């Protein structure tokens, strides 16, 4: 099982990036998916989650209204559209598959993790 995140990079404040995470090795169409991030010296934190059907999405308060999570089960891919980026969004972003159909906010409920992609927002 592999999750490959991509799309990170360096962007100025106010800019946008779109992260993608492709899963291979098995299907995750029945599992929730999530994005987490970890900045240097900080704990890994929940960013956004989406249920197995895509019918429900969840966001950290810090990204609500700026980030959008979506998924394409046919492509086994989850996306994170990030708009109006801020310097405090700088972190390594990880995608993960939930152990259930839901998308909980705790990393403990996620089974498989991608390697992460660096997002750096300059002021």
């Amino acid at each position: 099982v592999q999750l490959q995140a991509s799309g990170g990079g360096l962007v100025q404040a106010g800019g946008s990036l779109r992260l993608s995470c492709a899963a291979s090795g098995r299907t995750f169409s029945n599992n929730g998916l999530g994005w987490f991030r970890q900045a240097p010296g900080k704990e890994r934190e929940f960013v956004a989650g989406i249920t197995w059907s895509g019918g429900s999405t969840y966001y950290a308060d810090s990204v609500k209204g700026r980030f959008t999570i979506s998924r394409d089960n046919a492509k086994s891919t989850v996306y994170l559209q990030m708009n109006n980026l801020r310097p405090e969004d700088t972190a390594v972003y990880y995608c993960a598959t939930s152990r259930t159909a839901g998308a909980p906010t705790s990393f403990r409920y996620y089974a498989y993790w991608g390697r992460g992609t660096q997002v750096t927002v300059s002021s």
Side-chain angles (χ1 to χ4, degrees):
V1 176
Q2 282 192 326
L3 296 174
Q4 183 63 53
S6 62
L10 173 64
V11 64
Q12 288 187 332
S16 298
L17 286 173
R18 188 192 194 207
L19 305 184
S20 300
C21 178
S24 61
R26 56 159 286 186
T27 179
F28 293 104
S29 58
N30 296 323
N31 297 83
L33 296 168
W35 285 97
F36 290 75
R37 67 187 182 187
Q38 188 166 17
K42 295 187 177 181
E43 293 186 352
R44 189 169 298 190
E45 65 173 354
F46 174 82
V47 175
I50 186 167
T51 55
W52 72 277
S53 66
S56 295
T57 56
Y58 308 91
Y59 299 94
D61 288 343
S62 59
V63 307
K64 277 181 184 176
R66 300 187 298 122
F67 291 11
T68 303
I69 188 171
S70 61
R71 66 187 293 167
D72 185 337
N73 284 342
K75 296 181 179 180
S76 296
T77 301
V78 61
Y79 305 96
L80 186 68
Q81 177 66 44
M82 306 186 295
N83 298 328
N84 192 19
L85 282 161
R86 303 167 180 171
E88 54 263 39
D89 294 319
T90 296
V92 177
Y93 284 70
Y94 299 89
C95 57
T97 61
S98 170
R99 300 179 192 274
T100 70
T105 60
S106 172
F107 68 88
R108 294 177 177 82
Y109 295 97
Y110 289 78
Y112 299 103
W113 292 81
R115 284 192 175 185
T117 184
Q118 176 71 46
V119 171
T120 302
V121 184
S122 63
S123 57

